[in-house]
Amino acid sequence: MNRPETEAHAPSCMDPHDSEALSLDEAVARIRSSITPVPGTETLDLRSALGRVLAQNVVSAVDVPPHTNSAMDGYALSGADLPQDRPRSYAVIGTAWAGRPFTGTVDPGQCVRIMTGAPLPPGCDTVVIQEHVTREGDSATLGPDNKAGQHVRPAGEDISAGDIALAGGTLLRSAHLGLIASLGIGEVRVRRLPVIAFFSTGDELRGIGETLADGQIYDSNRYSLFGMLRRMGLPVLDMGVIRDRREDVEQAFLDASQVADAIITSGGVSVGEADFVTDTLARVGSVDFWKIAMKPGRPVAFGHVGDALFFGLPGNPVSVMATFYQVVQPALHSLMGLDRTDPPILIRAICETGLRKKAGRLEFQRGILSRGADGHYVVRGTDHQGAGVLRSMAEANCFIVLPIDQEKVPAGSTVTVQPFAGLV
Ligand code: AMP
Ligand code: MG
């Protein structure tokens, strides 16, 4: 168990450099490598499995498509019987529809009218699209510029019988539901969802409906945390506000660890007089690390209480959201059993506003991204970048990601932007 550093080394949000802080990438890699997915699986009908993680491979018992079929509306015939160097007429001996195949034999000099998705009739392996055919009564004239095998989708082109159609660890999105349905499978085995408990710490916090006395504020973090967790499809346990008393914080940790797979707290994580979170974590569990070189969002404590993962996020409302997306969300993906996480979507944009920045930390400033008339992306920083100004997060539609060594950004510079779409 690593004890947090002593008060003599208390971090300050004002420190531009902090040699003990981990880089964000290193912190996330360390967290993810320490996580094993939640145990337990359940079988769900296909629709209910949207957003869940496959617990085992889905193996196909059938070919998809089950029969070789036409990719276009046109005329089917044998490729060997195509016209050689000048147009030639064929007898049209029937029609093949999707769901209503033509079952007769197609001899040389004959063809069959065929619709998209219809099985190729016996003896046919080629489709000539209707735009390239001159039809007169029961006769169709084809030109010489066609290739044997064209416009045909072979049986098993999508998936062959016995193939692993989807691997365990896949997060099921719309395409996956469709793919599983195409195999005729109506139920899948998925991992249990991890249950996430969260609470706020702070004597100053009051709930909605309470009257604020001097120095008190409404607790907003439990609402943004609720939103972010529910958007991930995770079940949540809102454990309310815990006062800044050692015994209360300790009891809350122990209670949460009994019922949840992960615990998220906000506030009380730095080493101020009333900040018990890191201390308590060290006493009742373990602290793996508690400083990441990012802004907003330091300090962030990561550790365990019993079998539960523990994330102690800062109290400032913007810091809670930035650290959730950058640190907690990838960790929860691992806990959910996802075998891979898509890389962050980062785009380059011209920054129309100047941005303040000191070297030393990776910064996630809040920005408003749009597309200029010339098709290029442009971004503006939101007016207030303070870690307590939740409005900056509400107005923004992206993070402007500024590298550790970056200093102030003059207007007109190219910056890297992480859109909220895809992140939230
Ligand atoms: P702390 O990390 O506890 O020192 O809190 C940092 C700042 O965030 C202080 O201004 C707190 O009042 C504020 N804060 C902490 N928790 C919350 C919360 N749940 N909702 C809104 N503001 C909070
Ligand atoms: Mg506090």
Side-chain angles (χ1 to χ4, degrees):
M1 177 190 335
N2 300 323
R3 301 253 339 158
E5 288 76 0
T6 56
E7 279 76 9
H9 246 88
S12 155
C13 295
M14 304 309 288
D15 292 349
H17 287 278
D18 187 339
S19 54
E20 294 164 60
L22 294 178
S23 73
L24 176 62
D25 283 349
E26 193 182 346
V28 170
R30 273 211 211 175
I31 293 176
R32 296 195 73 170
S33 67
S34 77
I35 293 175
T36 46
V38 282
T41 62
E42 57 187 319
T43 299
L44 294 179
D45 77 84
L46 198 48
R47 289 193 184 97
S48 311
L50 183 64
R52 301 291 295 268
V53 176
L54 272 184
Q56 59 192 30
N57 295 342
V58 172
V59 177
S60 180
V62 297
D63 280 338
V64 179
H67 38 68
T68 299
N69 67 92
S70 179
M72 304 289 275
D73 290 343
Y75 292 81
L77 72 170
S78 163
D81 196 32
L82 280 169
Q84 294 305 311
D85 17 68
R86 69 186 115 89
R88 189 179 143 201
S89 295
Y90 296 77
V92 182
I93 60 166
T95 303
W97 309 83
R100 211 161 9 118
F102 177 84
T103 50
T105 326
V106 184
D107 291 324
Q110 299 182 331
C111 68
V112 168
R113 175 86 174 110
I114 193 164
M115 306 304 169
T116 304
L120 271 266
C124 297
D125 60 4
T126 300
V127 172
V128 176
I129 62 173
Q130 60 192 20
E131 290 82 349
H132 294 174
V133 173
T134 313
R135 176 80 187 258
E136 275 169 71
D138 285 341
S139 164
T141 305
L142 317 186
D145 46 359
N146 291 288
K147 283 208 194 75
Q150 71 187 11
H151 305 310
V152 163
R153 298 190 285 226
E157 177 185 60
D158 199 344
I159 294 162
S160 300
D163 279 357
I164 294 176
L166 289 173
T170 301
L171 176 69
L172 296 176
R173 304 184 203 270
S174 315
H176 304 117
L177 296 197
L179 185 73
I180 295 168
S182 77
L183 309 177
I185 296 173
E187 285 186 336
V188 285
R189 183 153 280 275
V190 296
R191 283 192 184 275
R192 174 174 77 78
L193 287 172
V195 176
I196 318 299
F198 59 89
F199 52 85
S200 300
T201 69
D203 286 335
E204 75 281 26
L205 302 176
R206 290 295 174 273
I208 298 168
E210 292 185 76
T211 312
L212 298 184
D214 210 19
Q216 297 178 340
I217 58 172
Y218 288 117
D219 175 4
S220 60
N221 289 342
R222 280 188 301 126
Y223 291 84
S224 36
L225 277 172
F226 167 87
M228 293 185 289
L229 289 162
R230 290 301 298 147
R231 286 290 295 229
M232 292 182 71
L234 296 175
V236 297
L237 291 171
D238 182 339
M239 303 190 59
V241 177
I242 312 296
R243 299 284 159 237
D244 288 322
R245 290 181 40 213
R246 212 166 280 278
E247 314 80 74
D248 291 6
V249 173
E250 185 168 320
Q251 195 56 49
F253 282 20
L254 293 172
D255 290 347
S257 73
Q258 299 297 312
V259 290
D261 299 292
I263 304 167
I264 302 174
T265 66
S266 71
V269 83
S270 59
V271 186
E273 285 286 277
D275 293 328
F276 302 120
V277 167
T278 321
D279 257 12
T280 307
L281 180 60
R283 210 166 48 252
V284 304
S286 61
V287 182
D288 295 354
F289 63 80
W290 70 310
K291 285 192 223 172
I292 303 178
M294 68 177 277
K295 182 183 175 183
R298 199 184 52 176
V300 172
F302 171 68
H304 292 79
V305 181
D307 290 335
L309 297 182
F310 182 95
F311 301 91
L313 307 185
N316 271 315
V318 179
S319 308
V320 168
M321 299 197 73
T323 52
F324 182 93
Y325 288 129
Q326 304 303 331
V327 181
V328 181
Q329 185 158 286
L332 294 182
H333 282 154
S334 296
L335 190 62
M336 290 165 72
L338 251 80
D339 62 342
R340 71 183 168 95
T341 298
D342 295 327
I345 295 164
L346 301 173
I347 61 178
R348 308 284 282 162
I350 306 288
C351 193
E352 289 181 323
T353 54
L355 303 173
R356 293 163 56 164
K357 165 90 169 66
K358 288 197 187 113
R361 288 198 272 166
L362 176 63
E363 283 198 22
F364 293 89
Q365 300 202 6
R366 274 70 62 208
I368 300 166
L369 180 68
S370 58
R371 220 155 155 228
D374 59 358
H376 288 103
Y377 286 108
V378 290
V379 68
R380 289 182 288 122
T382 56
D383 286 346
H384 299 283
Q385 291 290 340
V389 185
L390 196 48
R391 209 180 79 202
S392 73
M393 216 36 218
E395 281 174 3
N397 62 2
C398 67
F399 285 123
I400 303 172
V401 186
L402 302 176
I404 292 195
D405 294 332
Q406 173 84 51
E407 301 192 327
K408 77 170 190 267
V409 177
S413 313
T414 299
V415 291
T416 299
V417 157
Q418 185 178 25
F420 288 169
L423 181 68
V424 303

